[in-house]
Each structure stands twice: as structure tokens, then as C-alpha cells.
Amino acid sequence: MKFTSLSSGSSGNSLLVETDKTRILIDAGFTGKRLETLIKNAGVLPETIDAILVTHEHNDHIKGAGIMSRRFNIPIIANEETWIAMIKKIGPIDDNNILVFKNDYDFTLKDLDIHPFSTFHDAANSCGFTVNHKKNKISIMTDTGTVNERIKRQLFGSDVIFIESNHDPIMLMNGPYSPALKRRVASTKGHLSNLDCAQTLEEILSGNGEKVILAHLSGENNTADIALNTVSNHLMDLGLDLNRDISLNVADRNGVSNRIEL
């Protein structure tokens, strides 16, 4: 199984998961033209994508989903509430390409076993995903204001953990956002801070070589260096060796990065 972050940040998100038989996008938060370029930059032809899975209906996750579906006849898979919330945004979709899952219930897509788990965000019914193939497991969790024990159980045992590290609280407090937007981001229906991310990882990592990718960084309220330093310092204080026990990287906000083959 291969995993590639095509781009991840507050301005747009899309991920690629591949096996020898299957290719899926998780989210499509860029223009169709930009998505085509990102997919090709990852060494893949857009017409070979088997499905687009959607975490929630915010524009930085669905902007190009409709055009990609229409252009390349790609099914879009989302829960019912997300479909209702996004259908007017993404435009008409062929009936055959409208597929529905239910949060917290497994489904299979060719040779991938997928579990969508509910998250806490100000969206219709947001979710993250675990994707399993043979003995490998990839977990994707962004856009959640808090993490409960149910989510931690889903993330545990992953080979790859793509996890939100959205903002630095001091930068958020002193930054350009309005007071209302600052409260939204910091709320339990907003986004995880760098420390929130680190504390979540503290409870789910085994130190067995997991590959951790910090994701969905804010362009205004975070930097890659601050996120990486906050999380790495917290994990090293717990005794984890970042050269031996795990690997820790930050997803590029504007281009392909973190290509991992399991």
C-alpha cells in the first residue's frame, strides 16, 4: 500500500492511497486543474482514480470533487449528511457515481477495507478514515476539535498516522482572525492545536516505527517548524527516539510530499 499527501493545509487538502489494484483520493479540496497536476506529480494518471472519499463538505476538502467526477467518471463516496450539505457546491453528479457510507461502519472498496469514524467539527457529519490492506493500516484524521477514546482506538496500531496539527495557540490568539473565528478554531468543534496533536500521539503510539505526518497546518496561525518542534519535543520528553521508534514529518501545504510505501 502506498500513501501520498498531495497537499494539506487550511487552503486545500487531498490525499492519495494506492495498492496494485486500487487508487483512491481522500478529499479533493483544489480546483480540478490543480488536482490533475498534483495527481500527475505523484506519478499517477487522474483517469486511474477509482473513487473520491470525502471527510466533510467544507470547500478546502471538496472544491474539485465534482469536476473530477464529471471529467473522469469517478465515484464520490460520502455519508448522507455530507452529500446533502455538499451537492449544491460540487454540481451535478451522475447517479452511478453517488455512493454513500455510514460513519462508524466498515465498507470495502476493491481490495481496501475502510472504516469511516466520526470526528468533532462544525460540519454536517465529519469523519476520518482508517484504510487497511493486508497487514497494513493508514489512519487519516484532520478537522476535529477534540479526540475521544473511540477515535484513539481507531488510530492505534496504524503504520501511517496522518493527523491534524492545525495551529499554535499563541499565534492564533495574536493573529489576524476575528474573535469569533478564533473561538471557532480553538473550540471542540474546530481544529487540533500542535499540543493537542502531541497529546493524542502520546496515547496512540507504540514506538514500533510508525510514520507520523502532521497535517492541515494553518497558513496564518502555524508554521512547519513550530508544529514539528512542539510535537517532537513532547514525544521526546516521553522517551521516544525520533530516529528509531517513529518517523515524524510535516505535510507540504502546497505540493506533493510524504510518499510512503508500506
Side-chain angles (χ1 to χ4, degrees), residues 106-115 130-134:
D106 297 342
F107 67 95
T108 299
L109 180 61
K110 298 178 76 171
D111 60 346
L112 296 176
D113 296 317
I114 300 169
H115 182 84
T130 62
V131 183
N132 292 269
H133 174 68
K134 297 181 179 179

Side-chain angles (χ1 to χ4, degrees), residues 12-167:
N13 300 271
S14 189
L15 314 173
L16 175 67
V17 178
E18 306 171 74
T19 69
D20 291 339
K21 297 180 179 179
T22 312
R23 289 187 172 121
I24 61 171
L25 290 185
I26 296 178
D27 290 334
F30 300 92
T31 65
K33 183 178 180 180
R34 178 64 177 154
L35 280 168
E36 284 191 54
T37 298
L38 291 169
I39 293 166
K40 289 176 181 176
N41 287 347
V44 171
L45 295 175
E47 56 266 30
T48 67
I49 300 296
D50 292 291
I52 300 170
L53 278 61
V54 176
T55 59
H56 66 291
E57 75 277 8
H58 290 167
N59 201 45
D60 59 323
H61 294 261
I62 65 164
K63 187 173 184 178
I67 188 64
M68 292 295 289
S69 178
R70 290 186 289 274
R71 186 172 294 167
F72 299 108
N73 192 32
I74 302 172
I76 300 174
I77 314 177
N79 61 49
E80 183 177 2
E81 295 84 357
T82 297
W83 268 113
I84 292 169
M86 75 176 177
I87 189 62
K88 290 183 179 179
K89 298 180 182 180
I90 65 174
I93 304 298
D94 187 283
D95 288 346
N96 293 325
N97 287 332
I98 297 176
L99 301 179
V100 180
F101 61 74
K102 188 174 180 180
N103 281 14
D104 305 307
Y105 287 84
D106 297 342
F107 67 95
T108 299
L109 180 61
K110 298 178 76 171
D111 60 346
L112 296 176
D113 296 317
I114 300 169
H115 182 84
F117 56 88
S118 297
T119 56
F120 299 90
H121 197 49
D122 56 352
N125 193 10
S126 62
C127 68
F129 295 102
T130 62
V131 183
N132 292 269
H133 174 68
K134 297 181 179 179
K135 295 182 178 180
N136 296 128
K137 178 180 179 180
I138 295 170
S139 292
I140 293 109
M141 184 189 69
T142 64
D143 297 81
T144 189
T146 190
V147 180
N148 61 10
E149 293 303 316
R150 172 184 51 79
I151 293 176
K152 292 173 189 174
R153 287 194 297 270
Q154 292 299 325
L155 301 178
F156 187 80
S158 300
D159 300 288
V160 176
I161 303 169
F162 191 82
I163 183 170
E164 178 169 70
S165 191
N166 176 258
H167 63 276

Side-chain angles (χ1 to χ4, degrees), residues 164-183:
E164 178 169 70
S165 191
N166 176 258
H167 63 276
D168 174 77
I170 294 175
M171 287 186 69
L172 176 65
M173 179 178 63
N174 296 324
Y177 285 2
S178 68
L181 185 52
K182 290 177 182 180
R183 288 193 297 271

